[in-house]
Amino acid sequence: MIRTELNAAGIGDPRLRDAYRRCREINAKHGRTFFLATRLLAPDQRPPVHALYGFARYADDILDVVDPAQGTDTRAEQLARLSARFFAGGDHDDPVLAAVSDTVHRYDIDPDLFTDFLASMRMDLTVTDYADRNALNIYMRGSAEAIGLQLLPILGTVGPVEDAAPYAAALGRAFQLTNFLRDIDEDLMRNRVYLPADELAAYGVDRELLMWCHHNRRTDRRVRSALADQHDVTWQFYRLAADGITMLAPRSRPCVATALTLYSEILNRIEDSDFAVFGRRATVGTTRRLQAAGTGLIRAWRARAGTDHPKSDAA
């Protein structure tokens, strides 16, 4: 399978092929729902998407290390080295950097999107709370929206890329806001709260109350009301993102639609649990994921039927 994908993408250099294989392994291991959705892409699209995921995971692993010996200064140095190596054109001794640098070159992805991404990653070293929605939006510009925009040249569009960009950014934001709700308990253990403090305060919620919920494995009624409000905000971004799917190249639509469906169902699971997010993690069951993927796969085959050139439907 991977050989077919690499051949379809025109990746012939043996070292690059190994690099893309490594990124695929990382995606399969750490991003199960995302990896499942990539199976709905055309074979030539999968390797560059895996490369982007591998790079994002690379930075994430630096930030979320649990080794107490690696303090903020150490992680800041590691992130700075990663940034320097990436902007120097990659490091062919590092498979992830080699693959993502090749992807950026092949698809002419705007380097500023990686500047934004790494800026947000640096914020995670020192910022533990967000006073309001605007402060969180600044963080999400690089941590969520930039990811969606990086993918656009690979997915292809039926019109100008700039027309589809707001919808791609909205989808990245919807996915991350879902993560913030699902992972609130885990983030508290890392001393982080990714929800606007002023919006929580409107319901009488602060960090102290969230920690009470964490320690007692219970969702206080005030926290439940605050999270329900955040749930509604997140759904607004899913609705906006859904409106932009028709702007994508036809062969990419089944993948994005399936990813949107599965991730929004995580949001549904959170609501169905009455926001019991402390001590448990909302998931979509394997049966449901495979069902959605199966439906998406049929649609993907139909969309790709008669497409001869891998980039024939790109903008």
Side-chain angles (χ1 to χ4, degrees), residues 160-193:
V161 172
E162 53 268 26
D163 289 350
Y167 301 95
L171 187 59
R173 184 180 291 245
F175 286 170
Q176 187 160 65
L177 287 171
T178 300
N179 285 341
F180 290 162
L181 285 172
R182 181 192 63 186
D183 299 336
I184 185 170
D185 198 39
E186 182 179 331
D187 289 333
L188 279 168
M189 296 175 67
R190 296 189 174 105
N191 194 35
R192 299 174 190 162
V193 176

Coordinates of all heavy atoms in Angstrom, one line a residue, residues 160-193:
P160 N -10.4 29.7 -6.5 CA -9.2 30.3 -5.8 C -9.0 29.8 -4.4 O -10.0 29.7 -3.7 CB -9.5 31.8 -5.8 CG -10.5 32.0 -6.9 CD -11.3 30.8 -7.0
V161 N -7.8 29.5 -4.1 CA -7.5 29.0 -2.7 C -8.0 29.9 -1.6 O -8.5 29.5 -0.6 CB -6.0 28.7 -2.6 CG1 -5.6 28.3 -1.2 CG2 -5.6 27.6 -3.5
E162 N -7.8 31.2 -1.9 CA -8.2 32.2 -0.9 C -9.7 32.1 -0.5 O -10.1 32.5 0.6 CB -7.8 33.6 -1.3 CG -8.3 34.1 -2.6 CD -7.3 33.8 -3.7 OE1 -6.5 32.8 -3.6 OE2 -7.3 34.5 -4.8
D163 N -10.5 31.7 -1.5 CA -12.0 31.6 -1.2 C -12.2 30.4 -0.2 O -13.2 30.5 0.6 CB -12.7 31.3 -2.5 CG -12.8 32.6 -3.4 OD1 -12.4 33.7 -2.9 OD2 -13.2 32.5 -4.6
A164 N -11.5 29.4 -0.4 CA -11.7 28.2 0.5 C -11.0 28.3 1.8 O -11.3 27.6 2.8 CB -11.2 26.9 -0.2
A165 N -10.0 29.2 1.9 CA -9.2 29.4 3.1 C -10.0 29.6 4.4 O -9.7 28.9 5.4 CB -8.1 30.5 3.0
P166 N -11.0 30.5 4.5 CA -11.7 30.7 5.8 C -12.4 29.4 6.3 O -12.5 29.2 7.5 CB -12.7 31.7 5.4 CG -12.1 32.5 4.2 CD -11.4 31.4 3.5
Y167 N -12.8 28.6 5.3 CA -13.5 27.3 5.7 C -12.5 26.3 6.2 O -12.8 25.5 7.2 CB -14.3 26.8 4.5 CG -15.3 27.8 4.1 CD1 -15.1 28.6 3.0 CD2 -16.6 27.9 4.7 CE1 -16.0 29.6 2.6 CE2 -17.5 28.8 4.2 CZ -17.2 29.7 3.2 OH -18.1 30.6 2.8
A168 N -11.3 26.2 5.6 CA -10.3 25.3 6.0 C -9.8 25.7 7.4 O -9.6 24.9 8.3 CB -9.1 25.3 5.1
A169 N -9.7 27.0 7.6 CA -9.3 27.5 9.0 C -10.3 27.2 10.0 O -10.0 26.8 11.1 CB -9.0 29.0 8.9
A170 N -11.6 27.3 9.6 CA -12.7 27.0 10.6 C -12.7 25.5 10.9 O -13.0 25.2 12.1 CB -14.0 27.4 9.9
L171 N -12.4 24.7 10.0 CA -12.4 23.2 10.3 C -11.2 22.9 11.3 O -11.4 22.2 12.2 CB -12.2 22.4 9.0 CG -12.3 20.9 9.2 CD1 -13.7 20.5 9.8 CD2 -12.1 20.2 7.9
G172 N -10.1 23.5 11.0 CA -9.0 23.3 12.0 C -9.3 23.8 13.4 O -9.0 23.2 14.4
R173 N -10.0 24.9 13.4 CA -10.5 25.5 14.7 C -11.5 24.6 15.4 O -11.4 24.3 16.6 CB -11.0 26.9 14.5 CG -11.4 27.6 15.8 CD -12.0 29.0 15.5 NE -10.9 29.8 14.9 CZ -10.5 30.9 15.5 NH1 -11.0 31.3 16.7 NH2 -9.6 31.7 15.0
A174 N -12.4 24.1 14.6 CA -13.5 23.2 15.2 C -12.8 21.9 15.8 O -13.2 21.5 16.9 CB -14.5 22.8 14.1
F175 N -11.9 21.3 15.0 CA -11.2 20.1 15.5 C -10.5 20.4 16.9 O -10.6 19.7 17.8 CB -10.2 19.6 14.5 CG -10.8 19.0 13.3 CD1 -10.0 18.7 12.2 CD2 -12.1 18.6 13.3 CE1 -10.5 18.0 11.1 CE2 -12.6 18.0 12.2 CZ -11.8 17.7 11.1
Q176 N -9.8 21.6 16.9 CA -9.0 21.8 18.1 C -9.9 22.2 19.3 O -9.6 21.8 20.4 CB -8.0 22.9 17.9 CG -7.1 23.1 19.1 CD -5.8 23.8 18.8 OE1 -5.8 25.0 18.4 NE2 -4.7 23.1 18.9
L177 N -11.0 22.9 19.1 CA -11.9 23.3 20.1 C -12.5 22.0 20.7 O -12.8 21.9 21.9 CB -13.0 24.2 19.7 CG -12.6 25.7 19.4 CD1 -13.7 26.4 18.7 CD2 -12.1 26.3 20.7
T178 N -12.8 21.0 19.8 CA -13.3 19.7 20.3 C -12.2 19.1 21.2 O -12.6 18.5 22.3 CB -13.6 18.8 19.1 OG1 -14.6 19.4 18.3 CG2 -14.1 17.4 19.6
N179 N -11.0 19.1 20.8 CA -9.9 18.6 21.6 C -9.8 19.3 23.0 O -9.6 18.6 24.0 CB -8.5 18.7 20.9 CG -8.4 17.7 19.8 OD1 -9.0 16.7 19.7 ND2 -7.4 18.0 18.9
F180 N -10.0 20.6 23.0 CA -9.9 21.3 24.3 C -11.0 20.8 25.2 O -10.8 20.8 26.4 CB -10.1 22.8 24.0 CG -8.9 23.5 23.3 CD1 -9.1 24.7 22.7 CD2 -7.7 22.9 23.2 CE1 -8.0 25.3 22.0 CE2 -6.6 23.5 22.6 CZ -6.8 24.7 22.0
L181 N -12.2 20.6 24.7 CA -13.3 20.1 25.6 C -13.0 18.6 26.0 O -13.2 18.3 27.2 CB -14.6 20.2 24.9 CG -15.2 21.6 24.7 CD1 -16.4 21.6 23.8 CD2 -15.6 22.1 26.1
R182 N -12.6 17.8 25.1 CA -12.4 16.4 25.4 C -11.3 16.2 26.4 O -11.3 15.4 27.3 CB -12.1 15.6 24.1 CG -11.9 14.1 24.3 CD -11.3 13.5 23.0 NE -10.0 14.1 22.7 CZ -9.4 13.8 21.5 NH1 -9.9 13.0 20.6 NH2 -8.2 14.4 21.3
D183 N -10.2 17.0 26.2 CA -9.0 16.8 26.9 C -8.8 17.7 28.1 O -7.7 17.9 28.6 CB -7.8 16.9 26.0 CG -7.8 15.9 24.9 OD1 -8.4 14.9 25.0 OD2 -7.2 16.2 23.8
I184 N -9.8 18.4 28.6 CA -9.7 19.4 29.6 C -9.0 18.8 30.9 O -8.2 19.4 31.5 CB -11.0 20.1 30.0 CG1 -10.9 21.2 31.0 CG2 -12.1 19.0 30.4 CD1 -12.1 22.0 31.2
D185 N -9.4 17.6 31.2 CA -8.8 16.9 32.4 C -7.3 16.7 32.2 O -6.5 16.9 33.1 CB -9.6 15.6 32.7 CG -9.3 15.1 34.1 OD1 -9.3 15.9 35.0 OD2 -9.2 13.9 34.2
E186 N -7.0 16.2 31.0 CA -5.6 15.9 30.7 C -4.7 17.2 30.7 O -3.6 17.2 31.2 CB -5.5 15.2 29.4 CG -4.1 14.8 29.0 CD -4.1 14.0 27.6 OE1 -5.1 13.4 27.3 OE2 -3.1 14.1 26.9
D187 N -5.3 18.2 30.1 CA -4.6 19.5 30.0 C -4.4 20.1 31.4 O -3.4 20.8 31.7 CB -5.4 20.5 29.2 CG -5.3 20.1 27.7 OD1 -4.4 19.5 27.3 OD2 -6.3 20.5 27.0
L188 N -5.3 19.9 32.3 CA -5.2 20.4 33.7 C -3.9 19.8 34.4 O -3.2 20.4 35.1 CB -6.4 20.1 34.5 CG -7.6 21.1 34.4 CD1 -8.8 20.5 35.0 CD2 -7.2 22.5 35.0
M189 N -3.7 18.5 34.1 CA -2.5 17.8 34.6 C -1.2 18.4 34.1 O -0.2 18.3 34.7 CB -2.6 16.3 34.3 CG -3.8 15.6 34.9 SD -4.0 13.9 34.4 CE -2.5 13.2 35.2
R190 N -1.3 19.1 32.9 CA -0.1 19.8 32.4 C -0.2 21.3 32.7 O 0.5 22.1 32.1 CB -0.1 19.6 30.9 CG 0.1 18.2 30.4 CD 0.3 18.2 28.9 NE 0.6 16.8 28.5 CZ -0.2 16.0 27.8 NH1 -1.4 16.5 27.5 NH2 0.2 14.8 27.4
N191 N -1.1 21.7 33.7 CA -1.2 23.1 34.1 C -1.7 24.0 33.0 O -1.4 25.2 33.0 CB 0.1 23.6 34.7 CG -0.1 24.8 35.5 OD1 -1.1 25.0 36.2 ND2 0.9 25.7 35.4
R192 N -2.5 23.5 32.1 CA -3.0 24.3 31.0 C -4.6 24.3 31.0 O -5.2 23.2 31.3 CB -2.5 23.8 29.7 CG -1.0 23.9 29.5 CD -0.6 23.2 28.2 NE 0.8 23.0 28.1 CZ 1.4 22.2 27.2 NH1 0.6 21.5 26.4 NH2 2.7 22.0 27.2
V193 N -5.2 25.4 30.7 CA -6.6 25.5 30.5 C -6.8 26.3 29.1 O -6.4 27.4 29.0 CB -7.3 26.3 31.6 CG1 -8.8 26.4 31.3 CG2 -7.2 25.6 32.9

